[in-house]
């Protein structure tokens, strides 16, 4: 009997994916893989190497050598690019935008998907992103698609920034989220969309504890049927 599942959680920004995935990973003793962080690291690399996103030859070269490493830790994963810890840098606004821009490009996606499949091949992983249930692991054991209304998501991102001491303009946060939602869901390569067999969860009025408990229960009940 299989007991090391692949669990896919997809959805738009600030829908609750990463917070939920992190907690579930702890409860299940699974590894949490934040695929968005990998696109962010790619974006940062283009900035460091001064590569324009329409220069496909340089991008291909960059992707050949890219060294992204995730260090799994209970206190939170750390992400390393060429051996340097970029966990904080990749959360900054310029990289958030760049990640969504670079995620449109086919050769970038092919490389990231390849790395992600290797990371998850033995199961025991919770992977969050935009295309995990549709493209990376279409055969995932459990698939969830988290959504929340844009006002709630904007407020969450605004609050997150505030907790870090940043005072952002709420309307600007909302505009950026809307831009990213559109960019992520209208691209031709692996657009953000719900897999047919994913369970959809609207977290607008849910607490983190409720989200986690709900998914945990689905997995426990699913387990009984394996
Ligand atoms: O944390 P947040 O939801 O703001 O974003 P993220 O998950 O870190 O992802 C950053 C960007 O990477 C997204 O806006 C997507 O464009 C892209 N991405 C993707 O295309 N496919 C994934 N599997 C994960 C992220």
């Amino acid at each position: 009997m299989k007991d090391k599942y692949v669990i896919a959680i997809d959805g738009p920004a600030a829908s609750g994916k990463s917070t939920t995935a992190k907690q579930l990973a702890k409860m299940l003793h699974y590894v949490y893989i934040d695929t968005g962080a990998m696109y962010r690291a790619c974006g940062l690399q283009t900035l460091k190497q001064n590569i324009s996103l329409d220069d496909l030859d340089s991008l291909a070269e960059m992707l050949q050598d890219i060294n992204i490493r995730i260090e799994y830790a209970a206190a939170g994963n750390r992400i390393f690019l060429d051996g340097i810890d970029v966990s904080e840098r990749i959360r900054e606004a310029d990289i958030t935008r760049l990640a969504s821009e670079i995620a449109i490009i086919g050769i970038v996606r092919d490389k990231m998907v390849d790395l992600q499949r290797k990371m998850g091949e033995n199961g025991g992983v919770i992977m969050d992103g935009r295309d995990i249930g549709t493209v990376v692991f279409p055969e995932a054991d459990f698939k969830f698609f988290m959504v929340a209304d844009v006002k709630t998501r904007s407020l969450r991102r605004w609050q997150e920034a505030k907790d870090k001491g940043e005072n952002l303009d709420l309307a600007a946060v909302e505009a950026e989220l809307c831009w990213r939602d559109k960019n992520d869901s209208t691209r031709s390569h692996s657009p953000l969309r719900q897999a047919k067999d994913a369970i959809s969860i609207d977290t607008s009025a849910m607490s983190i504890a409720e989200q986690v408990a709900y998914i945990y229960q689905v997995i426990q009940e699913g387990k009984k049927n394996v």
Side-chain angles (χ1 to χ4, degrees), residues 10-15 17-18 34-40 90-91 95-96 99-104 109 116 128-132 136 157 177 180-181 183-184 187 189-190:
D10 290 303
S15 55
K17 303 181 303 284
S18 67
D34 170 5
T35 62
M38 297 171 70
Y39 288 93
R40 288 169 180 270
I90 60 167
R91 300 289 152 198
I95 302 300
T96 301
S100 189
E101 284 169 350
I102 204 172
I104 291 176
R109 301 208 70 85
Q116 289 154 13
D128 83 4
R130 305 291 188 283
D131 59 340
I132 311 305
V136 183
R157 275 294 139 96
L177 271 189
R180 213 140 59 90
D181 283 355
N183 199 47
D184 290 350
R187 66 187 181 213
H189 292 286
S190 318

mmCIF file of all heavy atoms in Angstrom, residues 10-15 17-18 34-40 90-91 95-96 99-104 109 116 128-132 136 157 177 180-181 183-184 187 189-190, ligand 1:
data_model
loop_
_atom_site.group_PDB
_atom_site.id
_atom_site.type_symbol
_atom_site.label_atom_id
_atom_site.label_comp_id
_atom_site.label_asym_id
_atom_site.label_seq_id
_atom_site.Cartn_x
_atom_site.Cartn_y
_atom_site.Cartn_z
ATOM 1 N N ASP A 10 -2.893 23.949 -5.954
ATOM 2 C CA ASP A 10 -2.756 25.059 -6.899
ATOM 3 C C ASP A 10 -3.736 26.164 -6.553
ATOM 4 O O ASP A 10 -4.685 25.968 -5.779
ATOM 5 C CB ASP A 10 -3.038 24.556 -8.332
ATOM 6 C CG ASP A 10 -1.943 23.630 -8.842
ATOM 7 O OD1 ASP A 10 -0.775 24.065 -8.854
ATOM 8 O OD2 ASP A 10 -2.253 22.482 -9.218
ATOM 9 N N GLY A 11 -3.500 27.305 -7.183
ATOM 10 C CA GLY A 11 -4.427 28.421 -6.987
ATOM 11 C C GLY A 11 -3.713 29.746 -7.173
ATOM 12 O O GLY A 11 -2.482 29.789 -7.282
ATOM 13 N N PRO A 12 -4.482 30.828 -7.214
ATOM 14 C CA PRO A 12 -3.883 32.156 -7.409
ATOM 15 C C PRO A 12 -3.139 32.645 -6.166
ATOM 16 O O PRO A 12 -3.207 32.008 -5.100
ATOM 17 C CB PRO A 12 -5.092 33.047 -7.710
ATOM 18 C CG PRO A 12 -6.240 32.358 -7.067
ATOM 19 C CD PRO A 12 -5.946 30.889 -7.121
ATOM 20 N N ALA A 13 -2.441 33.746 -6.325
ATOM 21 C CA ALA A 13 -1.659 34.330 -5.229
ATOM 22 C C ALA A 13 -2.534 34.635 -4.022
ATOM 23 O O ALA A 13 -3.676 35.081 -4.167
ATOM 24 C CB ALA A 13 -0.989 35.615 -5.709
ATOM 25 N N ALA A 14 -1.987 34.361 -2.850
ATOM 26 C CA ALA A 14 -2.628 34.682 -1.569
ATOM 27 C C ALA A 14 -3.956 33.957 -1.342
ATOM 28 O O ALA A 14 -4.819 34.423 -0.606
ATOM 29 C CB ALA A 14 -2.806 36.189 -1.413
ATOM 30 N N SER A 15 -4.107 32.809 -1.989
ATOM 31 C CA SER A 15 -5.334 32.035 -1.756
ATOM 32 C C SER A 15 -5.182 31.121 -0.544
ATOM 33 O O SER A 15 -6.130 30.455 -0.148
ATOM 34 C CB SER A 15 -5.686 31.215 -3.003
ATOM 35 O OG SER A 15 -4.586 30.415 -3.379
ATOM 36 N N LYS A 17 -2.453 28.855 -0.212
ATOM 37 C CA LYS A 17 -1.736 27.617 -0.556
ATOM 38 C C LYS A 17 -0.539 27.350 0.344
ATOM 39 O O LYS A 17 -0.418 26.295 0.938
ATOM 40 C CB LYS A 17 -1.196 27.656 -2.000
ATOM 41 C CG LYS A 17 -2.207 27.881 -3.072
ATOM 42 C CD LYS A 17 -1.546 27.884 -4.442
ATOM 43 C CE LYS A 17 -0.433 28.912 -4.611
ATOM 44 N NZ LYS A 17 -0.833 30.285 -4.800
ATOM 45 N N SER A 18 0.367 28.328 0.402
ATOM 46 C CA SER A 18 1.645 28.033 1.056
ATOM 47 C C SER A 18 1.498 27.850 2.564
ATOM 48 O O SER A 18 2.097 26.945 3.132
ATOM 49 C CB SER A 18 2.702 29.085 0.714
ATOM 50 O OG SER A 18 2.354 30.304 1.270
ATOM 51 N N ASP A 34 7.747 24.633 -2.605
ATOM 52 C CA ASP A 34 7.123 25.870 -3.062
ATOM 53 C C ASP A 34 7.643 26.144 -4.476
ATOM 54 O O ASP A 34 8.743 26.663 -4.642
ATOM 55 C CB ASP A 34 7.548 26.964 -2.062
ATOM 56 C CG ASP A 34 7.197 28.361 -2.519
ATOM 57 O OD1 ASP A 34 6.542 28.503 -3.563
ATOM 58 O OD2 ASP A 34 7.596 29.305 -1.818
ATOM 59 N N THR A 35 6.859 25.772 -5.488
ATOM 60 C CA THR A 35 7.376 25.900 -6.861
ATOM 61 C C THR A 35 7.450 27.361 -7.299
ATOM 62 O O THR A 35 8.232 27.707 -8.175
ATOM 63 C CB THR A 35 6.529 25.090 -7.867
ATOM 64 O OG1 THR A 35 5.200 25.600 -7.885
ATOM 65 C CG2 THR A 35 6.525 23.615 -7.521
ATOM 66 N N GLY A 36 6.629 28.212 -6.666
ATOM 67 C CA GLY A 36 6.699 29.641 -6.990
ATOM 68 C C GLY A 36 8.075 30.196 -6.676
ATOM 69 O O GLY A 36 8.611 31.032 -7.411
ATOM 70 N N ALA A 37 8.673 29.698 -5.599
ATOM 71 C CA ALA A 37 10.005 30.169 -5.209
ATOM 72 C C ALA A 37 11.021 29.849 -6.306
ATOM 73 O O ALA A 37 11.989 30.596 -6.504
ATOM 74 C CB ALA A 37 10.423 29.513 -3.893
ATOM 75 N N MET A 38 10.785 28.770 -7.040
ATOM 76 C CA MET A 38 11.729 28.395 -8.101
ATOM 77 C C MET A 38 11.618 29.371 -9.282
ATOM 78 O O MET A 38 12.622 29.776 -9.859
ATOM 79 C CB MET A 38 11.455 26.954 -8.543
ATOM 80 C CG MET A 38 11.680 25.961 -7.404
ATOM 81 S SD MET A 38 11.117 24.284 -7.782
ATOM 82 C CE MET A 38 12.313 23.778 -9.011
ATOM 83 N N TYR A 39 10.373 29.766 -9.626
ATOM 84 C CA TYR A 39 10.216 30.765 -10.694
ATOM 85 C C TYR A 39 10.784 32.115 -10.241
ATOM 86 O O TYR A 39 11.361 32.863 -11.031
ATOM 87 C CB TYR A 39 8.742 30.897 -11.102
ATOM 88 C CG TYR A 39 8.285 29.682 -11.880
ATOM 89 C CD1 TYR A 39 7.679 28.601 -11.235
ATOM 90 C CD2 TYR A 39 8.511 29.584 -13.247
ATOM 91 C CE1 TYR A 39 7.301 27.464 -11.927
ATOM 92 C CE2 TYR A 39 8.135 28.445 -13.956
ATOM 93 C CZ TYR A 39 7.532 27.397 -13.282
ATOM 94 O OH TYR A 39 7.174 26.265 -13.993
ATOM 95 N N ARG A 40 10.629 32.387 -8.963
ATOM 96 C CA ARG A 40 11.185 33.633 -8.416
ATOM 97 C C ARG A 40 12.714 33.618 -8.521
ATOM 98 O O ARG A 40 13.336 34.612 -8.908
ATOM 99 C CB ARG A 40 10.751 33.803 -6.952
ATOM 100 C CG ARG A 40 9.280 34.166 -6.802
ATOM 101 C CD ARG A 40 8.827 34.067 -5.350
ATOM 102 N NE ARG A 40 7.420 34.404 -5.203
ATOM 103 C CZ ARG A 40 6.955 35.622 -4.968
ATOM 104 N NH1 ARG A 40 7.790 36.626 -4.807
ATOM 105 N NH2 ARG A 40 5.657 35.852 -4.865
ATOM 106 N N ILE A 90 13.851 37.023 -2.903
ATOM 107 C CA ILE A 90 12.873 36.626 -3.935
ATOM 108 C C ILE A 90 11.433 36.997 -3.588
ATOM 109 O O ILE A 90 10.545 36.843 -4.410
ATOM 110 C CB ILE A 90 12.953 35.112 -4.276
ATOM 111 C CG1 ILE A 90 12.685 34.258 -3.025
ATOM 112 C CG2 ILE A 90 14.269 34.761 -4.945
ATOM 113 C CD1 ILE A 90 12.449 32.782 -3.344
ATOM 114 N N ARG A 91 11.206 37.483 -2.368
ATOM 115 C CA ARG A 91 9.840 37.899 -1.983
ATOM 116 C C ARG A 91 9.609 39.375 -2.271
ATOM 117 O O ARG A 91 8.516 39.887 -2.035
ATOM 118 C CB ARG A 91 9.588 37.651 -0.486
ATOM 119 C CG ARG A 91 9.716 36.211 -0.062
ATOM 120 C CD ARG A 91 8.593 35.339 -0.562
ATOM 121 N NE ARG A 91 9.045 33.970 -0.724
ATOM 122 C CZ ARG A 91 8.418 33.048 -1.451
ATOM 123 N NH1 ARG A 91 7.303 33.327 -2.071
ATOM 124 N NH2 ARG A 91 8.916 31.841 -1.566
ATOM 125 N N ILE A 95 10.799 41.089 -7.908
ATOM 126 C CA ILE A 95 10.960 39.672 -8.269
ATOM 127 C C ILE A 95 9.590 38.996 -8.408
ATOM 128 O O ILE A 95 9.409 38.108 -9.248
ATOM 129 C CB ILE A 95 11.848 38.939 -7.236
ATOM 130 C CG1 ILE A 95 13.224 39.608 -7.144
ATOM 131 C CG2 ILE A 95 12.001 37.461 -7.585
ATOM 132 C CD1 ILE A 95 14.027 39.631 -8.448
ATOM 133 N N THR A 96 8.630 39.430 -7.608
ATOM 134 C CA THR A 96 7.275 38.872 -7.724
ATOM 135 C C THR A 96 6.759 39.080 -9.147
ATOM 136 O O THR A 96 6.228 38.161 -9.785
ATOM 137 C CB THR A 96 6.328 39.558 -6.716
ATOM 138 O OG1 THR A 96 6.841 39.343 -5.404
ATOM 139 C CG2 THR A 96 4.920 39.008 -6.797
ATOM 140 N N ALA A 99 8.879 37.058 -11.719
ATOM 141 C CA ALA A 99 8.567 35.615 -11.682
ATOM 142 C C ALA A 99 7.377 35.325 -12.585
ATOM 143 O O ALA A 99 7.385 34.359 -13.360
ATOM 144 C CB ALA A 99 8.259 35.176 -10.255
ATOM 145 N N SER A 100 6.362 36.161 -12.521
ATOM 146 C CA SER A 100 5.172 35.940 -13.333
ATOM 147 C C SER A 100 5.496 36.166 -14.819
ATOM 148 O O SER A 100 4.966 35.472 -15.687
ATOM 149 C CB SER A 100 4.050 36.873 -12.867
ATOM 150 O OG SER A 100 2.851 36.537 -13.488
ATOM 151 N N GLU A 101 6.400 37.111 -15.090
ATOM 152 C CA GLU A 101 6.783 37.373 -16.481
ATOM 153 C C GLU A 101 7.607 36.227 -17.058
ATOM 154 O O GLU A 101 7.381 35.791 -18.187
ATOM 155 C CB GLU A 101 7.582 38.690 -16.562
ATOM 156 C CG GLU A 101 6.678 39.896 -16.431
ATOM 157 C CD GLU A 101 7.438 41.208 -16.230
ATOM 158 O OE1 GLU A 101 8.663 41.178 -15.996
ATOM 159 O OE2 GLU A 101 6.787 42.260 -16.272
ATOM 160 N N ILE A 102 8.500 35.710 -16.249
ATOM 161 C CA ILE A 102 9.370 34.640 -16.763
ATOM 162 C C ILE A 102 8.620 33.305 -16.863
ATOM 163 O O ILE A 102 8.957 32.443 -17.681
ATOM 164 C CB ILE A 102 10.656 34.507 -15.894
ATOM 165 C CG1 ILE A 102 11.765 33.885 -16.718
ATOM 166 C CG2 ILE A 102 10.438 33.715 -14.622
ATOM 167 C CD1 ILE A 102 13.114 33.877 -16.062
ATOM 168 N N ALA A 103 7.568 33.179 -16.051
ATOM 169 C CA ALA A 103 6.809 31.922 -16.005
ATOM 170 C C ALA A 103 5.979 31.692 -17.268
ATOM 171 O O ALA A 103 5.398 30.629 -17.452
ATOM 172 C CB ALA A 103 5.916 31.898 -14.769
ATOM 173 N N ILE A 104 5.938 32.688 -18.144
ATOM 174 C CA ILE A 104 5.229 32.549 -19.422
ATOM 175 C C ILE A 104 6.066 31.738 -20.415
ATOM 176 O O ILE A 104 5.550 31.108 -21.325
ATOM 177 C CB ILE A 104 5.000 33.966 -20.023
ATOM 178 C CG1 ILE A 104 4.000 34.742 -19.207
ATOM 179 C CG2 ILE A 104 4.575 33.902 -21.466
ATOM 180 C CD1 ILE A 104 3.807 36.163 -19.706
ATOM 181 N N ARG A 109 9.598 27.012 -18.169
ATOM 182 C CA ARG A 109 8.657 26.063 -17.555
ATOM 183 C C ARG A 109 9.164 24.622 -17.711
ATOM 184 O O ARG A 109 9.095 23.836 -16.778
ATOM 185 C CB ARG A 109 7.256 26.178 -18.170
ATOM 186 C CG ARG A 109 6.622 27.543 -18.042
ATOM 187 C CD ARG A 109 5.108 27.440 -18.014
ATOM 188 N NE ARG A 109 4.676 26.838 -16.763
ATOM 189 C CZ ARG A 109 4.487 27.510 -15.639
ATOM 190 N NH1 ARG A 109 4.656 28.804 -15.598
ATOM 191 N NH2 ARG A 109 4.118 26.884 -14.542
ATOM 192 N N GLN A 116 11.008 19.838 -10.741
ATOM 193 C CA GLN A 116 9.938 19.549 -9.771
ATOM 194 C C GLN A 116 9.545 18.076 -9.802
ATOM 195 O O GLN A 116 9.288 17.473 -8.762
ATOM 196 C CB GLN A 116 8.726 20.452 -10.065
ATOM 197 C CG GLN A 116 8.988 21.905 -9.720
ATOM 198 C CD GLN A 116 8.145 22.894 -10.515
ATOM 199 O OE1 GLN A 116 7.180 22.514 -11.170
ATOM 200 N NE2 GLN A 116 8.511 24.160 -10.457
ATOM 201 N N ASP A 128 3.126 23.193 -3.998
ATOM 202 C CA ASP A 128 2.125 24.202 -4.355
ATOM 203 C C ASP A 128 2.604 25.042 -5.523
ATOM 204 O O ASP A 128 3.795 25.173 -5.773
ATOM 205 C CB ASP A 128 1.687 25.027 -3.129
ATOM 206 C CG ASP A 128 2.603 26.183 -2.780
ATOM 207 O OD1 ASP A 128 3.559 26.433 -3.509
ATOM 208 O OD2 ASP A 128 2.344 26.836 -1.754
ATOM 209 N N GLY A 129 1.615 25.518 -6.305
ATOM 210 C CA GLY A 129 1.970 26.301 -7.488
ATOM 211 C C GLY A 129 0.743 26.661 -8.296
ATOM 212 O O GLY A 129 -0.332 26.956 -7.742
ATOM 213 N N ARG A 130 0.915 26.645 -9.621
ATOM 214 C CA ARG A 130 -0.181 27.001 -10.524
ATOM 215 C C ARG A 130 -0.570 25.837 -11.431
ATOM 216 O O ARG A 130 -1.680 25.793 -11.940
ATOM 217 C CB ARG A 130 0.227 28.185 -11.422
ATOM 218 C CG ARG A 130 0.711 29.438 -10.700
ATOM 219 C CD ARG A 130 -0.438 30.090 -9.962
ATOM 220 N NE ARG A 130 -0.078 31.391 -9.399
ATOM 221 C CZ ARG A 130 0.638 31.591 -8.299
ATOM 222 N NH1 ARG A 130 1.101 30.559 -7.627
ATOM 223 N NH2 ARG A 130 0.854 32.817 -7.847
ATOM 224 N N ASP A 131 0.379 24.925 -11.649
ATOM 225 C CA ASP A 131 0.194 23.877 -12.666
ATOM 226 C C ASP A 131 0.557 22.500 -12.119
ATOM 227 O O ASP A 131 0.893 21.599 -12.885
ATOM 228 C CB ASP A 131 1.108 24.184 -13.869
ATOM 229 C CG ASP A 131 2.583 24.234 -13.463
ATOM 230 O OD1 ASP A 131 2.869 24.416 -12.253
ATOM 231 O OD2 ASP A 131 3.447 24.073 -14.339
ATOM 232 N N ILE A 132 0.536 22.330 -10.822
ATOM 233 C CA ILE A 132 1.004 21.052 -10.261
ATOM 234 C C ILE A 132 0.020 19.926 -10.602
ATOM 235 O O ILE A 132 0.421 18.868 -11.085
ATOM 236 C CB ILE A 132 1.228 21.151 -8.727
ATOM 237 C CG1 ILE A 132 2.069 22.386 -8.372
ATOM 238 C CG2 ILE A 132 1.879 19.863 -8.194
ATOM 239 C CD1 ILE A 132 3.404 22.492 -9.067
ATOM 240 N N VAL A 136 2.548 19.229 -13.834
ATOM 241 C CA VAL A 136 3.727 18.638 -13.175
ATOM 242 C C VAL A 136 3.411 17.219 -12.709
ATOM 243 O O VAL A 136 4.132 16.273 -13.029
ATOM 244 C CB VAL A 136 4.217 19.520 -11.991
ATOM 245 C CG1 VAL A 136 5.476 18.928 -11.365
ATOM 246 C CG2 VAL A 136 4.492 20.947 -12.454
ATOM 247 N N ARG A 157 -2.248 39.988 1.610
ATOM 248 C CA ARG A 157 -0.898 40.389 1.180
ATOM 249 C C ARG A 157 -0.487 41.709 1.836
ATOM 250 O O ARG A 157 0.657 41.900 2.218
ATOM 251 C CB ARG A 157 -0.835 40.531 -0.354
ATOM 252 C CG ARG A 157 -0.563 39.235 -1.048
ATOM 253 C CD ARG A 157 0.838 38.719 -0.727
ATOM 254 N NE ARG A 157 0.845 37.284 -0.506
ATOM 255 C CZ ARG A 157 1.133 36.371 -1.418
ATOM 256 N NH1 ARG A 157 1.432 36.736 -2.635
ATOM 257 N NH2 ARG A 157 1.136 35.096 -1.103
ATOM 258 N N LEU A 177 -2.121 42.177 -7.813
ATOM 259 C CA LEU A 177 -2.674 40.807 -7.770
ATOM 260 C C LEU A 177 -3.515 40.534 -9.016
ATOM 261 O O LEU A 177 -3.423 39.455 -9.603
ATOM 262 C CB LEU A 177 -3.561 40.625 -6.539
ATOM 263 C CG LEU A 177 -2.941 40.162 -5.236
ATOM 264 C CD1 LEU A 177 -4.031 39.853 -4.227
ATOM 265 C CD2 LEU A 177 -2.093 38.912 -5.445
ATOM 266 N N ARG A 180 -1.348 39.954 -11.965
ATOM 267 C CA ARG A 180 -0.711 38.634 -11.909
ATOM 268 C C ARG A 180 -1.719 37.515 -12.195
ATOM 269 O O ARG A 180 -1.412 36.568 -12.919
ATOM 270 C CB ARG A 180 -0.063 38.439 -10.538
ATOM 271 C CG ARG A 180 1.178 37.601 -10.592
ATOM 272 C CD ARG A 180 2.249 38.120 -9.682
ATOM 273 N NE ARG A 180 1.851 38.180 -8.288
ATOM 274 C CZ ARG A 180 2.030 37.177 -7.423
ATOM 275 N NH1 ARG A 180 2.533 36.038 -7.823
ATOM 276 N NH2 ARG A 180 1.700 37.329 -6.159
ATOM 277 N N ASP A 181 -2.923 37.634 -11.634
ATOM 278 C CA ASP A 181 -3.975 36.640 -11.904
ATOM 279 C C ASP A 181 -4.179 36.519 -13.413
ATOM 280 O O ASP A 181 -4.268 35.425 -13.956
ATOM 281 C CB ASP A 181 -5.323 37.091 -11.315
ATOM 282 C CG ASP A 181 -5.397 36.885 -9.807
ATOM 283 O OD1 ASP A 181 -4.454 36.314 -9.228
ATOM 284 O OD2 ASP A 181 -6.407 37.317 -9.212
ATOM 285 N N ASN A 183 -2.165 37.545 -15.901
ATOM 286 C CA ASN A 183 -0.967 37.056 -16.584
ATOM 287 C C ASN A 183 -0.821 35.538 -16.419
ATOM 288 O O ASN A 183 -0.504 34.826 -17.369
ATOM 289 C CB ASN A 183 0.261 37.776 -16.011
ATOM 290 C CG ASN A 183 1.461 37.709 -16.925
ATOM 291 O OD1 ASN A 183 1.346 37.961 -18.122
ATOM 292 N ND2 ASN A 183 2.605 37.344 -16.376
ATOM 293 N N ASP A 184 -1.077 35.049 -15.205
ATOM 294 C CA ASP A 184 -0.900 33.619 -14.923
ATOM 295 C C ASP A 184 -1.991 32.758 -15.575
ATOM 296 O O ASP A 184 -1.745 31.611 -15.917
ATOM 297 C CB ASP A 184 -0.909 33.357 -13.406
ATOM 298 C CG ASP A 184 0.337 33.907 -12.719
ATOM 299 O OD1 ASP A 184 1.285 34.323 -13.420
ATOM 300 O OD2 ASP A 184 0.355 33.936 -11.470
ATOM 301 N N ARG A 187 -1.797 32.899 -19.984
ATOM 302 C CA ARG A 187 -0.616 32.500 -20.769
ATOM 303 C C ARG A 187 -0.912 31.187 -21.502
ATOM 304 O O ARG A 187 -1.763 30.394 -21.065
ATOM 305 C CB ARG A 187 0.600 32.359 -19.842
ATOM 306 C CG ARG A 187 0.459 31.235 -18.857
ATOM 307 C CD ARG A 187 1.588 31.230 -17.844
ATOM 308 N NE ARG A 187 1.446 30.135 -16.926
ATOM 309 C CZ ARG A 187 1.811 30.159 -15.648
ATOM 310 N NH1 ARG A 187 2.350 31.241 -15.143
ATOM 311 N NH2 ARG A 187 1.634 29.113 -14.890
ATOM 312 N N HIS A 189 1.342 28.658 -22.096
ATOM 313 C CA HIS A 189 1.984 27.493 -21.466
ATOM 314 C C HIS A 189 1.435 27.288 -20.056
ATOM 315 O O HIS A 189 1.586 28.171 -19.211
ATOM 316 C CB HIS A 189 3.497 27.693 -21.349
ATOM 317 C CG HIS A 189 4.196 27.706 -22.657
ATOM 318 N ND1 HIS A 189 4.411 26.572 -23.399
ATOM 319 C CD2 HIS A 189 4.708 28.724 -23.378
ATOM 320 C CE1 HIS A 189 5.036 26.894 -24.513
ATOM 321 N NE2 HIS A 189 5.224 28.195 -24.525
ATOM 322 N N SER A 190 0.845 26.152 -19.803
ATOM 323 C CA SER A 190 0.400 25.780 -18.455
ATOM 324 C C SER A 190 -0.277 26.912 -17.685
ATOM 325 O O SER A 190 0.190 27.306 -16.619
ATOM 326 C CB SER A 190 1.598 25.302 -17.628
ATOM 327 O OG SER A 190 2.428 24.481 -18.361
HETATM 328 O O1 LIG B 1 3.268 33.345 -3.293
HETATM 329 P P1 LIG B 1 2.523 33.867 -4.475
HETATM 330 O O2 LIG B 1 1.238 33.165 -4.646
HETATM 331 O O3 LIG B 1 2.445 35.343 -4.506
HETATM 332 O O4 LIG B 1 3.357 33.550 -5.770
HETATM 333 P P2 LIG B 1 4.278 32.306 -6.033
HETATM 334 O O5 LIG B 1 3.545 31.044 -5.763
HETATM 335 O O6 LIG B 1 5.569 32.523 -5.321
HETATM 336 O O7 LIG B 1 4.526 32.384 -7.602
HETATM 337 C C1 LIG B 1 5.154 33.479 -8.221
HETATM 338 C C2 LIG B 1 4.832 33.413 -9.713
HETATM 339 O O8 LIG B 1 5.443 32.244 -10.259
HETATM 340 C C3 LIG B 1 3.357 33.282 -10.054
HETATM 341 O O9 LIG B 1 2.716 34.522 -10.211
HETATM 342 C C4 LIG B 1 3.366 32.491 -11.342
HETATM 343 O O10 LIG B 1 3.479 33.322 -12.454
HETATM 344 C C5 LIG B 1 4.631 31.676 -11.247
HETATM 345 N N1 LIG B 1 4.386 30.256 -10.974
HETATM 346 C C6 LIG B 1 4.032 29.422 -12.018
HETATM 347 O O11 LIG B 1 3.870 29.875 -13.135
HETATM 348 N N2 LIG B 1 3.892 28.094 -11.817
HETATM 349 C C7 LIG B 1 4.056 27.568 -10.603
HETATM 350 N N3 LIG B 1 3.941 26.251 -10.458
HETATM 351 C C8 LIG B 1 4.371 28.392 -9.512
HETATM 352 C C9 LIG B 1 4.521 29.749 -9.720
#
